[in-house]
Amino acid sequence: MTRDFASTGASSASFSHEELFRRINALKKEMNALVLAHYYTVPEIQQVADIVGDSLALARAAEKTNADVIVFAGVYFMAETAKILNPGKLVLMPDARAGCPLADSCPAEEFRIFKQKHPGALVITYINSTAEIKALSDITCTSSNAEEIIRQIPENRQIIFGPDRNLGAYLAKKLGRKMILWQGYCYVHDDFSESNMLKARQEHPGAELIAHPECREEVLRHAAFIGSTKALLDYTVASAAETFIVATEPGILYEMQKRSPLKTFIPAPKDFSNSRSVCTQMKQNTLEKLYHCMLNRKPEILVDETLRLASLGSIKRMLEMSPL
Ligand code: 13P
Ligand code: SF4
């Protein structure tokens, strides 16, 4: 993996959002570029993106695109996955320093030793992992398709699941099968507490608590619905409830409100002076940086070809095992 920390070359000159939208849209045409953004990015990034989605939808979009350039407003493993799927395309990120601490909590050397302790086990890893970890894995998954993929594995086959211990524990409980779990976690989701959830439900009687499976079990057990970011979004559209307490990264509230303008969305409480309440890495994607990365065609995401080929198999297997 070559993690290019080169600056975007962003100058101090600041343009209005309207001007940046205009310039970014012009560059999209000029470069034949596709701008992908995760739901956790800031609203103005979601507004200018061609596709806004969760990890799975964005990986699928990257796999299918005919664009020459993919601009990924998300975190590093997402852009890296796009590059693994598209070696011939230019893949850019507004800020390549936007890593994912969950992915970084699973170093390849330690994971290799962990894997050796369980010979014969099938390795299923969350897409929130480095290319090195994907290369050590049999199948990649996201929170949208993990269940569907695990259901296809014979009952008697041992499974190693990583790096998110909360998602792993949730799946093990739901599917009634033991899995060997790597003990990583996402600080944004792991930081929600049961006492805060109970307090929020008391303060908003009638509101439905909905939660991402990266949250701890003590939170999930109180949720009316548990699902990936996209599943939570779809649930809020379909549910008859009018108010939701949303236990995931609050960036998704923008799209929830857009889809259901008459409903009320309350971010699940945390201490908002605490930076663990939001994914600070996702918020590194700003309009200015997006514009400058397109203008300067950097930072470019590069993946060593041997590593790319080694990691491609587990991503391809995921896409085959969870067709649309
Ligand atoms: P999904 O996009 O699969 O819901 O994952 C959430 C997340 O934490 C992305 O980094
Ligand atoms: Fe990583 Fe959590 Fe941020 Fe997703 S929300 S990018 S898992 S730190």
Side-chain angles (χ1 to χ4, degrees):
M1 172 180 71
T2 307
R3 201 149 159 179
D4 179 0
F5 290 130
S7 105
T8 56
S11 79
S12 53
S14 57
F15 299 112
S16 66
H17 280 186
E18 289 66 30
E19 179 60 15
L20 285 166
F21 283 146
R22 200 188 60 70
R23 287 173 179 245
I24 290 166
N25 284 326
L27 281 171
K28 278 194 221 173
K29 284 204 188 103
E30 202 178 300
M31 300 165 79
N32 187 24
L34 178 76
V35 177
L36 302 176
H38 193 274
Y39 288 127
Y40 297 169
T41 54
V42 293
E44 57 272 23
I45 290 282
Q46 297 188 43
Q47 284 158 14
V48 83
D50 297 299
I51 299 175
V52 183
D54 66 358
S55 309
L56 181 60
L58 297 177
R60 282 198 174 119
E63 189 205 19
K64 290 194 164 44
T65 185
N66 292 321
D68 296 318
V69 180
I70 297 173
V71 187
F72 216 123
V75 289
Y76 195 86
F77 74 81
M78 297 178 176
E80 185 177 58
T81 302
K83 182 67 182 178
I84 292 167
L85 289 164
N86 294 284
K89 293 189 197 299
L90 175 66
V91 178
L92 302 170
M93 264 186 96
D95 189 334
R97 291 165 300 188
C100 166
L102 168 60
D104 293 342
S105 76
C106 191
E109 267 328 299
E110 286 176 38
F111 192 72
R112 197 189 304 276
I113 295 165
F114 183 68
K115 198 180 146 177
Q116 277 164 1
K117 287 187 186 150
H118 308 282
L122 188 85
V123 182
I124 303 183
T125 48
Y126 200 24
I127 198 164
N128 300 41
S129 55
T130 61
E132 286 85 352
I133 294 297
K134 291 185 176 82
L136 291 169
S137 306
D138 296 295
I139 313 166
T140 297
C141 70
T142 78
S143 52
S144 286
N145 61 13
E147 204 179 311
E148 183 186 5
I149 287 172
I150 294 171
R151 283 187 194 281
Q152 295 174 56
I153 310 303
E155 294 273 327
N156 58 356
R157 187 80 196 266
Q158 237 193 353
I159 295 175
I160 292 176
F161 187 90
D164 192 90
R165 65 183 181 202
N166 294 339
L167 176 62
Y170 164 74
L171 292 164
K173 189 174 168 196
K174 181 153 192 206
L175 300 174
R177 69 186 289 171
K178 275 196 181 145
M179 296 198 291
I180 304 153
L181 305 181
W182 181 265
Q183 294 298 313
Y185 60 89
C186 158
Y187 71 93
V188 178
H189 290 90
D190 195 72
D191 212 39
F192 291 114
S193 70
E194 180 174 35
S195 57
N196 273 346
M197 293 309 127
L198 293 176
K199 218 163 94 199
R201 287 216 329 213
Q202 257 176 6
E203 280 169 15
H204 305 281
E208 279 193 334
L209 170 66
I210 57 172
H212 194 284
E214 285 176 20
C215 297
R216 282 182 278 147
E217 204 280 327
E218 64 172 56
V219 167
L220 298 180
R221 82 170 82 114
H222 298 288
F225 181 78
I226 299 165
S228 66
T229 313
K230 170 73 164 59
L232 294 177
L233 174 65
D234 291 345
Y235 180 80
T236 59
V237 174
S239 167
E242 284 170 6
T243 308
F244 300 87
I245 301 163
V246 184
T248 188
E249 213 285 339
I252 185 61
L253 267 65
Y254 172 71
E255 185 67 23
M256 285 178 172
Q257 196 69 73
K258 205 167 118 190
R259 301 258 185 114
S260 304
L262 301 178
K263 295 185 180 179
T264 304
F265 299 96
I266 302 157
K270 284 195 202 171
D271 168 7
F272 277 87
S273 59
N274 174 352
S275 59
R276 296 171 76 82
S277 293
V278 296
C279 179
T280 43
Q281 289 73 20
M282 288 281 187
K283 309 305 184 212
Q284 300 301 313
N285 294 287
T286 63
L287 273 188
E288 281 261 324
K289 288 186 201 168
L290 175 58
Y291 167 57
H292 282 98
C293 92
M294 294 177 80
L295 188 68
N296 300 318
R297 299 173 79 89
K298 68 174 188 179
E300 179 183 0
I301 306 306
L302 297 168
V303 180
D304 165 80
E305 184 58 8
T306 310
L307 177 60
R308 190 189 76 78
L309 291 172
S311 55
L312 181 64
S314 67
I315 301 170
K316 284 273 184 203
R317 229 157 282 132
M318 167 183 84
L319 296 169
E320 285 156 18
M321 290 175 83
S322 64
L324 262 179

